[in-house]
Amino acid sequence: IEANRLVLLDKAKKAGLSAAQAAAYAEANKAATDKVAQTALETLVAEKAAADKAAAEKAEKERLQKIEANRLVLLDKAKKAGLSAAQAAAYAEANKAATDKVAQTALETLVAEKAAADKAAAEKAEKERLQKIEANRLVLLDKAKKAGLSAAQAAAYAEANKAATDKVAQTALETL
């Protein structure tokens, strides 16, 4: 019986049972027939496999929950940093499994890129606004000269009214 227990213990360890499981199995089945002991071992191995699978699934579920929670934190952080909803969503999705440092660096890069793009857009808009004002000044200068004002009067009128509405500029011209 003791020799059989040792054989069963070795067999159980080789089948992947833990030392405690193997010892309990060998002790419980040392006097059993080979068939009964084999069935018991197969049952334990199947139970262990099922328990391992359940543990792995639980761990994976928890890992995915942590990643999703992190994605939501990153999404909120990105929105608070001034990124658009689409930019924030893309950032959060791309960095949800990243380390805090990597995610922070990515966010800082995106914020800097957005600031540069916003600055460039503002500069472009201001340049276009000034070009329209200058174009309007030239139109007003021509209009004033055609209305009979001297070059100096026309220049002063055009400069003074270059940013005014058409109606205001027309009224000013008629007054002169």
Side-chain angles (χ1 to χ4, degrees), residues 1-73:
I1 289 175
E2 180 57 21
N4 191 42
R5 187 188 70 76
L6 293 175
V7 168
L8 294 176
L9 179 65
D10 186 54
K11 197 173 185 182
K13 286 180 180 177
K14 287 179 181 175
L17 297 183
S18 69
Q21 289 172 319
Y25 159 75
E27 185 61 35
N29 291 283
K30 66 185 178 186
T33 65
D34 288 347
K35 185 177 181 180
V36 169
Q38 184 61 36
T39 301
L41 179 59
E42 289 169 1
T43 300
L44 287 172
V45 168
E47 288 172 354
K48 182 180 183 304
D52 290 349
K53 181 181 177 187
E57 288 172 352
K58 181 181 178 191
E60 179 63 6
K61 182 179 178 183
E62 289 172 357
R63 185 186 74 81
L64 293 175
Q65 286 172 336
K66 285 180 183 176
I67 288 173
E68 178 59 15
N70 192 46
R71 186 189 70 77
L72 295 173
V73 168

Side-chain angles (χ1 to χ4, degrees), residues 114-173:
K114 182 179 183 305
D118 289 350
K119 181 180 178 190
E123 288 172 352
K124 181 182 177 193
E126 179 62 9
K127 182 178 177 183
E128 289 172 358
R129 186 185 73 81
L130 293 175
Q131 286 173 339
K132 286 180 183 176
I133 289 173
E134 180 57 18
N136 192 43
R137 186 188 70 76
L138 294 174
V139 168
L140 293 176
L141 180 63
D142 185 55
K143 198 174 188 181
K145 286 179 180 176
K146 287 180 180 173
L149 297 181
S150 68
Q153 288 174 317
Y157 159 76
E159 185 63 33
N161 292 285
K162 66 184 179 184
T165 64
D166 290 345
K167 186 176 181 181
V168 170
Q170 185 60 38
T171 304
L173 180 59

